Amino acid sequence: MAQVFEMTHPLIQHKISMLRNVDTTVKDFRALANEIALLMGYEATRDLTLEDIKVETPMAVANGKAIQKQVAIVPILRAGLGMVDAILSLIPAAKVGHIGLYRDHETLEPVEYYCKLPPEIDQRQVLVVDPMLATGGSAIAAINFIKQRGANNIRFMCLIAAPEGVKALTEAHPDVDVYCGCIDDHLNENGYIVPGLGDAGDRLFGTL
Ligand code: PRP
Ligand code: URA
């Protein structure tokens, strides 16, 4: 069964409250999303598998560690883009794939319009990122596409989740651990997270 982690770090909770604020500007929203993703990235990579390596120092050969699997970051377009730079600053060698999905505003069903993943995705630790996990439809569909292309080691990271989305995602993909900045109260009748922060893509890119 998937593990679900809700962040307890005070800095993350403080910054999520600022992110939610309706008066937060686009510039500050983008900076905060980046800062929260950075702090969460630290938590979500806490147990990455290491391998033993030898490192030659100027003095001797030391026993060292290296992350065993290459990492791929896969943002769900478009709002997932707001979390990529933060993870790249933690893991600069990570490759980045993209999945383009949008929610049909009538049916709330995800529609795929783009998918480009790094090579040898089956060998990689994949981190799928999207600020919002609402009904779960987008995350479930994105992970379906990534699995169809061979990935078998996937984690999902979001800033805000609805309990309904967490349930749907963990039932659909019990092998995928979920890292949430905060799990909110509920979804409204339009599929928006309450209290949430509104439309993450619009707030990141100023398309309100
Ligand atoms: C938002 C968000 C997720 C999705 C979550 O994207 O970034 O991808 O909704 O909703 P769900 O869990 O109910 O699928 P949106 O479809 O608004 O597209 P955008 O990123 O292009 O704004
Ligand atoms: N997508 C968003 O951007 N916000 C929500 O509250 C739900 C889905």
Side-chain angles (χ1 to χ4, degrees):
M1 191 58 194
Q3 295 195 79
V4 178
F5 301 92
E6 185 178 13
M7 301 296 119
T8 55
H9 196 291
L11 285 175
I12 297 179
Q13 295 187 41
H14 176 93
K15 288 174 192 290
I16 285 179
S17 300
M18 295 171 73
L19 190 77
R20 291 182 190 280
N21 191 324
V22 67
D23 293 325
T24 296
T25 62
V26 171
K27 178 170 169 280
D28 289 343
F29 189 94
R30 216 177 273 153
L32 284 162
N34 182 71
E35 289 163 17
I36 298 163
L38 184 76
L39 293 164
M40 286 187 64
Y42 185 78
E43 297 287 344
T45 53
R46 184 180 284 284
D47 63 345
L48 287 187
T49 315
L50 293 170
E51 62 187 359
D52 294 326
I53 57 164
K54 299 284 184 201
V55 189
E56 201 173 326
T57 80
M59 309 298 293
V61 174
N63 293 321
K65 302 280 181 193
I67 291 169
Q68 194 178 41
K69 279 187 185 288
Q70 298 291 309
V71 174
I73 308 162
V74 182
I76 301 179
L77 304 180
R78 52 188 174 144
L81 290 174
M83 299 168 71
V84 173
D85 286 350
I87 313 292
L88 274 178
S89 63
L90 290 174
I91 314 171
K95 299 287 190 290
V96 183
H98 296 86
I99 292 214
L101 289 174
Y102 67 87
R103 286 199 319 178
D104 183 293
H105 281 285
E106 298 293 318
T107 65
L108 302 184
E109 287 298 316
V111 181
E112 186 198 7
Y113 61 88
Y114 187 76
C115 184
K116 180 88 178 167
L117 300 179
E120 296 169 349
I121 197 75
D122 55 318
Q123 306 294 319
R124 295 180 188 275
Q125 170 68 62
V126 179
L127 201 50
V128 179
V129 297
D130 190 325
M132 309 305 275
L133 177 65
T135 63
S138 302
I140 292 168
I143 293 170
N144 281 339
F145 295 133
I146 298 168
K147 284 186 175 174
Q148 280 162 18
R149 288 161 174 90
N152 51 44
N153 198 336
I154 303 173
R155 294 169 188 211
F156 179 80
M157 207 173 114
C158 62
L159 305 185
I160 309 254
E164 295 89 335
V166 173
K167 182 169 183 293
L169 176 56
T170 53
E171 282 175 5
H173 294 292
D175 56 316
V176 175
D177 288 343
V178 181
Y179 296 81
C180 312
C182 186
I183 302 177
D184 270 10
D185 194 60
H186 68 280
L187 283 180
N188 72 10
E189 60 284 3
N190 299 317
Y192 274 83
I193 301 175
V194 182
L197 49 72
D199 188 305
D202 284 345
R203 295 199 62 185
L204 265 173
F205 297 111
T207 48
L208 281 169

